[in-house]
């Protein structure tokens, strides 16, 4: 064992010196089809073919988890390539330790990671691929897991079969906390949904699954101590403790921590439906069906509350082995406290002047219970109040300002503001956000040390098992890169290229983000003709949901947890790849003096398709109640595309265009966008349409000479 | 219980009398979006809306299996509609028996089916849907299961939400044995693959899963008595006994019997790799990697063989509860027997003149063992030899002649010839085959009684978990209709319409027959542009694999169980829906005096797409070794479409066309087809192309006036 470690260190030093000798070119690194991009990479010459003789072997530290990782690697490699490996069967291609040295991919691991994965463990690895073999070296088993994912991403088809390029990679994460939060409360997410998302997290090297397990709309964990939590607070949709063990084991296998969140003292109506005696109000309480911030809150002035929470946290602290325990703490509106004379009296007698001070008192008490049961506390910004111990960690939904203020006061924290993937932003927009950006950029080195990473958050008002993957992936890969790769990894085009490649690979893992759309369209279309169904697909591929919280504002009927998520707004992707490509083509067309005939043809084809699409959609809408509310957006898309098409014609024919007409057309585009909002949809190619209109005639980049 | 049965019988009689009073119109029945088509159906007026208040209740016989069926029904209904049912949670929408009477769908069941499902149990049901509710009545739990599937298929989207039409259905199967065989030996099929196919079988009311568990290429069952079977005969790919229990339970829940097949005395190389002492040859034996008929055969002259088989059958007869036990028996070439002096001596001393007589002796002995262990024997045609008891059942791969000869001799049998779904036939061609067709049509009534149904067979030389669903579905739904619906259900257009609707619904069950193609294309395409990838999709959607056993004949390299199934021939569907629709449009165009402008436009669009498709495919083939071998077919498709396009132009312009030119072009079409065969592909639209060419100019249906 010692010998192996020494040997490993030797290899590591050799590799390091090679990297030091050859300065890494950002260019060659971003050409690698890998996301997140490695810290350092240098392309060599030649390739290592992947054929049916491929084997993998482990030396150094070696255990069942690594064996399983090897199996998983080979299964995934089989799916990616179709190759039936020679050493087939249950031990397919993973060599016994005594034969490991002759493996195509030799993995050398220094030591195991901690039995319960901890924040900040070593995840580094080096990977050296030459035409004759691949060597993956990692200090810990976690590094080995990370490196295996890199190898998988490097596989590509060539004129001579599959191969990986010769490359030298030295990689480690920029941040130790790289998380994805999934809200299992607002819409329940069955175990298979979680598992496939854990698979995808592993693929992009994320290491924290933050599991939002309770909220107004449901309490989702089986408690033996307080069984009414699940019987009366979950509508029957909860995870048994066995299932939770299963998820934790599954996550650990993939180098992912599981941090549970039990939101309190607000966001707790589902608890109160089961145990109204915890409440500040008089009840009765029922599981909440609507979305928003609600009045019910635990009673912070009642010792019964703390006795309950003590027993509850004791049970959950045992169930979830992670060092961290998330107590939520966000968005208490205080109305129940204001209305309760006993609470008011308590505040007076304890010198608490504001509700935030009362919440601070509560947080302090709960945080003590968390510590008592052996955990460290993490909570949303609101838990950060004077006097809270420095061990408490902040998850910032408020943003850089709040996070850096915390860091200045000595608190560690992670950023989630900017990574709210439920808001429908583009990958580029999330990618721009940096945990060290904004106010954090001005922190000193010590303070910066306290910013540990970030988490994307999949709040589940508008997602269910059918469409949730599409709201997480592939955009989450861009966020994963932000958390893993060096800060100067900011080439958006490169990110999109690699993100799309990963998007395809994620399908081999069983993610449904690319298949759900056609299925949902079929539901809408019913027995419509093939052409009509195709028109719906064209529509949903072109549009996006309105962003941020506009959906609520535009809703004509208040949405609830029982509203079917079957409409066009539920089906469109947060980011339309078709529209993104179209917009990029418009930019390229304008940059090339509007002369590229192939581009003109491609733009015309797309615009024509959109322009004439509405007729068929209208026909389906006659037959399908689900499609009806998308009709305004469908008409708006076609009419907008019509305007852009006529602009393209004018550009092509070098016709003059009066400025008034342009203004009129741009006003019309805006009106169409507003019309699309009636369907809670937006036309992402609108800016590109406008560019074409502006470019036509005199004054624009395509002005006739 | 008695009261319920009486009540149920009362309802049944009322329904029967209603059906009798109103003669059923074939037309109205084939308009139902249901496959297999019910025996009798009459559309009423109005619809029953399906909304979130929908509930299901069971009265009469009621048990956990029916409860689970109710849950499954609601899960599937949720997937089909997106509706979140009011009575959400683990008991979603299934009412307790005391509340059942007020259910939207009231299921009344007379009695349970047998604990181990038997051949010929009552599967009938009646279904009465009115605008105010639905009543499903069944004599047995099996009938209830069948009826639930009919209800699910009746759901459709309307301008006012989802609903089912008012209808009165009286339904029962034409044949009691309606099976699908899956070959788990040549390519191993993991449990999830089997489960989703069982789900799909339930959807189309099939009731026998014939599990081909051993063959030359692998022995797939864990045996405790003879563990080398799995350790030395399976490459590690086998089902544990727990997994087999799991599959059997899963199947029973869906009203499906599981009939295991252990093929002997031929098709047994994998057994002999583990236990060479069973062989007629001297070995050593290794698991076979190639396809075909091979020499190894068990030694029918050695008492050890029967002692082994006695113990083996004893174990397997316990593991598989079904009444029937399939002993294979097909394709023994006899070479090992010819070459073995001991075998020759035995034959002489026992007066066995031919190998078929020796096999008869073996079959007789094995059949006695099967009976000894409480089972009835089923085998392929070859087991039918003089003296075999009448309880032995025949599965006919040879065809109607063989099957009806057996029936005449008093043997019961099922038909598989004509349902070999590995041969790439169209659904229409399978649909044409009837178990009572051919020689069977001439049988007398008693003899006809002995023909119990049929089985489609998914031999797995060229399928793996990735593409197997697409080789079974949706075509298997057409075969299921042949086995279930009245013999005069023969409207091919109606069948295709309903089959395609079911194809979409099968996706909600998790079948991958519609998603695999894009994924496989992505593997081929690698980092190609979106347009290039789209061209591959156009190619694979247009073509079909060569039919029957032509693939072997055309192969340049001998395929084995280790050949990756990643090529275009593995990716194309057995039946191209795009080409089928195109061909139908050509027929419609020609039938409408070649004047329908919309049809012309649609034909032109498709032909143009095909004609120009090859350029991009060639570009991808430059980069991808997988695509290379499809280049001849790609070029052939484009060039064929080019010819058809010019014919369409001539038709449109009413140009004369010299007969010589037509002949030349048809010869060219044939040459292109031959060229496509180089890629082991065929151009299914070729006949339609030829029709266009023939129609152009003088003499054709579009001849200029």
């Amino acid at each position: 064992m010692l010998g192996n470690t020494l040997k490993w260190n030797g290899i590591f030093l050799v590799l390091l010196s090679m990297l030091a000798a050859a300065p890494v070119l950002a260019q060659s690194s971003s050409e690698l089809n890998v996301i997140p991009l490695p810290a350092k990479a240098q392309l060599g010459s030649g390739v290592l073919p992947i054929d049916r003789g491929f084997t993998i072997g482990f030396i150094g530290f070696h255990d069942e988890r690594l064996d399983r990782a090897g199996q998983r690697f080979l299964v995934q490699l089989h799916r990616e390539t179709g190759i039936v490996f020679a050493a087939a069967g249950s031990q397919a291609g993973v060599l016994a330790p005594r034969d490991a040295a002759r493996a195509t991919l030799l993995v050398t691991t220094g030591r195991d990671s901690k039995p319960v994965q901890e924040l900040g463990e070593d995840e580094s690895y080096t990977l050296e691929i030459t035409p004759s073999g691949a060597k993956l070296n990692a200090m810990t088993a976690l590094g080995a897991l990370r490196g295996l994912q890199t190898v998988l991403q490097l596989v590509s088809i060539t004129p001579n079969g599959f191969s990986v390029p010769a490359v030298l990679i030295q990689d480690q994460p920029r941040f130790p906390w790289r998380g994805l939060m999934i809200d299992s409360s607002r819409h329940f997410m069955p175990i298979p949904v979680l598992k496939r998302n854990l698979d995808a997290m592993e693929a992009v090297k994320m290491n924290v699954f933050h599991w939002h397990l309770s909220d107004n709309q449901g309490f989702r964990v089986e408690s033996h101590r307080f069984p009414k939590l699940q019987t009366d607070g979950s509508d029957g949709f909860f995870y048994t403790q066995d299932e939770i063990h299963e998820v934790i084991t599954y996550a650990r296998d993939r180098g992912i921590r599981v941090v549970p969140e039990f939101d309190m003292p607000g966001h707790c109506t589902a608890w109160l439906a089961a145990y109204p005696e915890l409440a500040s109000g008089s009840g009765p309480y029922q599981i909440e069906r609507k979305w928003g911030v609600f009045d019910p809150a635990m009673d912070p002035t009642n010792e019964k509350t703390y006795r309950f929470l003590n027993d509850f946290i004791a049970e959950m602290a045992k169930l979830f082995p992670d060092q961290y325990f998330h107590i939520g703490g966000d968005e208490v509106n205080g109305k129940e406290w204001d209305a309760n004379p006993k609470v008011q009296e308590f505040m007076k007698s304890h010198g608490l002047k504001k509700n935030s001070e009362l919440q601070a008192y509560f947080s302090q008490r709960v945080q003590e219970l968390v510590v008592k049961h052996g955990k460290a506390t993490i909570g949303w910004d609101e838990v950060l109040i004077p006097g809270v111990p420095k061990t408490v960690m902040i998850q910032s939904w408020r943003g850089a300002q709040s996070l850096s203020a915390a860091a200045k006061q000595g608190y560690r924290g992670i950023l989630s503001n900017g990574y709210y993937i439920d808001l429908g932003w583009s990958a580029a927009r999330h990618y721009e956000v940096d945990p060290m950006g904004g106010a954090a950029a001005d922190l000193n080195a010590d303070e910066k040390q306290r910013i540990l990473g970030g988490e994307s958050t999949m709040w589940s008002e508008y997602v269910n098992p059918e469409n949730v993957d599409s709201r997480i992936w592939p955009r989450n890969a861009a966020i994963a890169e932000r958390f893993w790769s060096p800060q100067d990894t900011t080439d958006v085009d490169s990110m999109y290229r690699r993100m799309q490649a990963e998007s395809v690979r994620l399908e081999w893992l069983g993610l449904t983000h690319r298949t759900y759309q056609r299925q949902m369209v079929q539901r809408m279309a019913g027995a419509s003709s093939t052409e009509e169904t195709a028109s719906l697909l064209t529509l949903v591929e072109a549009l996006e949901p309105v962003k941020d919280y506009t959906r609520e504002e535009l809703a004509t009927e208040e949405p609830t947890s029982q509203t079917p998520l079957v409409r066009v707004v539920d089906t469109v992707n947060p980011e339309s790849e078709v529209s993104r490509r179209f917009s990029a083509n418009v930019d390229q067309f304008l940059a090339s003096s509007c002369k590229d005939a192939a581009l003109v043809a491609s733009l015309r084809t797309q615009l024509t398709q959109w322009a004439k699409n509405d007729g068929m959609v209208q026909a389906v809408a006659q037959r399908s109640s689900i499609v009806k509310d998308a009709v305004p957006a469908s008409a708006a898309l076609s009419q907008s595309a019509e305007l852009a098409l006529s602009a393209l014609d004018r550009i092509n024919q070098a016709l003059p265009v009066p400025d008034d007409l342009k203004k009129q057309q741009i006003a019309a585009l805006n009106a169409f966008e507003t019309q699309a909002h009636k369907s809670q949809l937006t036309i992402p190619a609108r800016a590109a349409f406008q560019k074409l209109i502006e470019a036509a005639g005199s004054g624009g980049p395509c002005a006739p000479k």
Side-chain angles (χ1 to χ4, degrees), chain A:
Chain A
M1 176 61 205
L2 182 67
N4 279 328
T5 308
L6 286 176
K7 184 175 166 200
W8 184 88
N9 280 332
I11 294 167
F12 188 73
L13 286 173
V14 170
L15 285 169
L16 275 183
S17 63
M18 288 166 75
L19 280 164
V24 173
L25 301 171
Q27 185 57 24
S28 65
S29 155
S30 72
E31 276 171 21
L32 287 179
N33 195 7
V34 173
I35 189 165
L37 214 52
K40 292 184 185 176
Q42 187 177 11
L43 273 171
S45 62
V47 300
L48 171 65
I50 307 285
D51 56 27
R52 60 184 310 271
F54 181 92
T55 52
I56 180 169
F58 292 93
I59 60 173
F61 170 77
H62 185 225
D63 68 349
E64 286 185 2
R65 177 167 65 155
L66 283 181
D67 262 347
R68 287 192 296 272
Q71 298 298 341
R72 218 160 53 235
F73 176 94
L74 287 164
V75 166
Q76 183 68 356
L77 191 58
H78 165 69
R79 288 185 188 151
E80 277 192 39
T81 64
I83 296 168
V84 181
F85 295 106
S90 56
Q91 289 300 317
V94 177
L95 300 180
R98 66 176 180 282
D99 301 322
R102 62 174 175 82
T104 320
L105 169 58
L106 178 60
V107 184
T108 309
T109 307
R111 55 177 160 77
D112 197 5
S113 60
K114 299 283 170 65
V116 175
Q117 191 173 323
E118 289 180 10
L119 175 63
E121 288 195 67
D122 191 314
E123 298 177 83
S124 70
Y125 68 92
T126 60
L127 174 65
E128 185 192 17
I129 300 177
T130 69
S132 60
K135 290 183 171 32
L136 169 61
N137 297 290
M139 195 70 85
T140 74
L142 290 178
L145 293 178
R146 305 298 172 239
L148 287 174
Q149 295 304 314
T150 303
V151 178
L152 279 175
Q153 294 187 344
L154 286 169
V155 176
S156 70
I157 182 77
T158 75
N160 306 306
F162 288 95
S163 64
V164 286
V167 70
L168 184 55
I169 288 175
Q170 186 208 337
D171 201 9
Q172 71 279 325
R174 178 176 168 216
F175 292 110
W177 189 302
R178 306 179 306 281
L180 164 66
M181 190 211 79
I182 294 181
D183 174 1
S184 284
S185 177
R186 288 174 176 81
H187 275 96
F188 184 71
M189 297 295 159
I191 301 288
V193 176
L194 301 178
K195 284 187 173 174
R196 67 187 188 227
N197 276 284
L198 286 165
D199 287 337
M201 287 174 71
E202 181 189 28
V204 297
K205 303 183 172 67
M206 277 190 155
N207 67 354
V208 180
F209 169 41
H210 168 175
W211 203 353
H212 188 79
L213 284 162
S214 75
D215 215 303
N216 299 311
Q217 293 79 5
F219 186 95
R220 303 300 182 199
V221 178
E222 176 190 33
S223 167
H224 296 147
R225 182 72 186 78
F226 300 107
K228 281 198 285 182
L229 284 171
Q230 70 268 20
T231 55
D232 297 3
S234 79
D235 292 314
F237 291 109
F238 64 90
Y239 307 104
T240 65
Q241 295 205 356
D242 279 350
E243 287 173 327
I244 286 169
H245 288 306
E246 193 184 332
V247 168
I248 291 167
T249 306
Y250 196 88
R252 183 179 188 276
D253 254 19
R254 287 151 183 78
I256 298 170
R257 298 164 46 209
V258 178
V259 175
E261 176 183 355
F262 297 98
D263 209 343
M264 53 183 105
H267 283 285
C268 67
T269 313
W271 308 55
L272 305 182
Y275 296 95
E277 58 269 33
L278 299 176
S280 304
S282 52
Y285 296 90
Q286 289 188 329
I287 295 174
E288 185 57 58
R289 305 291 173 204
K290 296 180 179 172
W291 312 133
V293 175
F294 299 96
D295 301 346
M298 292 180 185
D299 185 349
T301 72
N302 190 336
E303 284 304 311
K304 271 188 193 165
T305 304
Y306 300 107
R307 282 198 293 275
F308 179 100
L309 289 176
N310 176 62
D311 293 354
F312 174 77
I313 293 171
E315 183 182 11
M316 294 300 136
K318 267 191 198 133
L319 182 59
F320 293 92
D322 197 80
Q323 182 185 3
Y324 283 84
F325 194 90
H326 203 303
I327 60 168
D330 54 323
E331 300 182 323
V332 184
N333 71 12
K335 286 189 188 167
E336 281 200 347
W337 294 344
D338 295 342
N340 182 332
K342 269 182 57 196
V343 170
Q344 292 305 311
E345 198 178 309
F346 180 93
M347 287 175 73
K348 205 173 288 173
S349 68
H350 286 69
L352 303 168
K353 293 190 189 74
K354 296 182 296 185
N355 283 335
S356 63
E357 290 175 19
L358 180 59
Q359 187 176 347
Y361 169 82
F362 174 84
S363 295
Q364 182 62 40
R365 293 286 302 269
V366 172
Q367 125 77 13
E368 283 163 16
L369 295 175
V370 170
V371 170
K372 176 180 162 192
H373 295 294
K375 303 288 180 179
T377 306
I378 174 169
W380 301 99
D381 304 74
E382 288 92 329
V383 302
L384 178 55
I385 28 87
V388 154
K390 303 296 186 213
T391 51
V392 171
M393 228 177 95
I394 306 305
Q395 175 167 21
S396 184
W397 65 272
R398 288 183 173 160
Q401 196 68 45
S402 172
L403 185 64
S404 57
K408 278 188 183 163
Q409 293 171 56
Y411 295 97
R412 292 175 312 158
I414 57 173
L415 184 66
S416 273
N417 183 297
Y419 306 123
Y420 268 44
I421 48 181
D422 56 319
L423 300 185
W425 296 9
S426 69
R429 191 169 164 195
H430 289 302
Y431 194 62
E432 239 173 39
V433 179
D434 195 293
M436 292 299 182
D442 301 328
L443 296 175
N444 68 34
D446 273 359
E447 292 158 356
K448 281 185 174 172
Q449 284 279 336
R450 295 181 192 127
I451 296 181
L452 302 178
E455 272 187 12
S456 50
T457 53
M458 183 70 264
W459 298 107
S460 64
E461 281 91 342
Y462 301 110
V463 295
N464 63 11
E466 183 168 58
N467 70 355
V468 64
D469 290 7
S470 73
R471 272 65 185 142
I472 304 179
W473 307 101
R475 294 179 305 150
N476 202 42
I479 297 174
E481 173 153 294
R482 179 56 53 240
F483 299 157
W484 176 281
S485 305
Q487 187 163 8
D488 62 357
T489 311
T490 52
D491 180 338
V492 171
D493 290 342
S494 161
M495 177 276 284
Y496 270 112
R497 202 162 50 241
R498 293 175 292 109
M499 183 185 85
Q500 288 304 334
E502 182 58 24
S503 183
V504 170
R505 282 190 293 255
L506 289 177
E507 270 199 273
W508 307 118
L509 285 170
L511 278 287
T512 62
H513 61 297
R514 289 162 59 89
T515 50
Y516 79 107
Q517 219 168 27
R518 217 208 30 224
Q519 221 171 315
M520 291 183 73
V521 159
Q522 287 286 2
R523 178 191 288 136
M524 294 176 204
S528 299
S529 74
T530 315
E531 290 74 19
E532 287 169 345
T533 306
S535 74
L536 280 184
L537 203 57
T538 299
L539 180 72
V540 302
E541 284 181 350
L543 301 181
E544 294 176 5
V546 288
K547 307 297 164 181
D548 301 313
Y549 298 106
T550 331
R551 180 162 176 177
E552 275 84 353
E553 292 160 21
L554 294 169
T556 49
E557 249 177 86
E558 186 168 9
T560 74
S561 56
Q562 294 160 335
T563 306
L565 299 180
V566 295
R567 293 156 58 218
V568 172
V569 63
D570 302 306
T571 308
V572 296
N573 240 299
E575 183 165 21
S576 158
E577 175 63 9
V578 171
S579 292
R580 193 182 68 76
R581 280 207 316 272
F582 174 83
S583 303
N585 283 346
V586 166
D587 287 344
Q588 204 185 323
F589 169 68
L590 298 179
S592 62
S593 318
C594 317
K595 278 178 186 157
D596 187 325
L599 274 174
V600 172
S602 138
L603 295 178
R604 184 183 308 283
T605 302
Q606 183 60 79
L607 287 170
T608 306
Q609 188 192 29
W610 284 338
K612 69 176 191 188
N613 196 58
D614 185 46
M616 294 249 188
V617 172
Q618 299 267 2
V620 186
Q622 293 295 315
R623 281 195 293 281
S624 168
S625 59
I626 306 179
V627 178
K628 265 183 213 159
D629 88 331
V631 164
S634 172
L637 172 68
S638 288
Q639 291 167 298
S640 301
E642 194 71 63
L643 287 179
L645 195 55
S646 69
L648 188 65
D649 283 342
R650 288 195 194 90
I651 291 170
N652 244 349
Q653 298 162 34
L655 292 178
V657 188
D659 275 3
D660 273 7
L661 180 61
K662 285 193 193 181
K663 276 186 194 153
Q664 210 181 320
Q665 291 185 330
I666 290 167
L669 276 189
N670 289 335
F672 293 139
E673 172 68 12
T674 306
Q675 181 181 327
H677 289 188
K678 285 188 195 160
S679 313
Q680 296 163 264
L681 293 164
T682 183
I683 303 172
R686 182 170 64 101
F689 296 162
Q690 184 163 340
K691 284 180 192 171
L692 287 174
I693 291 172
E694 284 168 350
S698 60
C702 314
K705 298 295 174 313

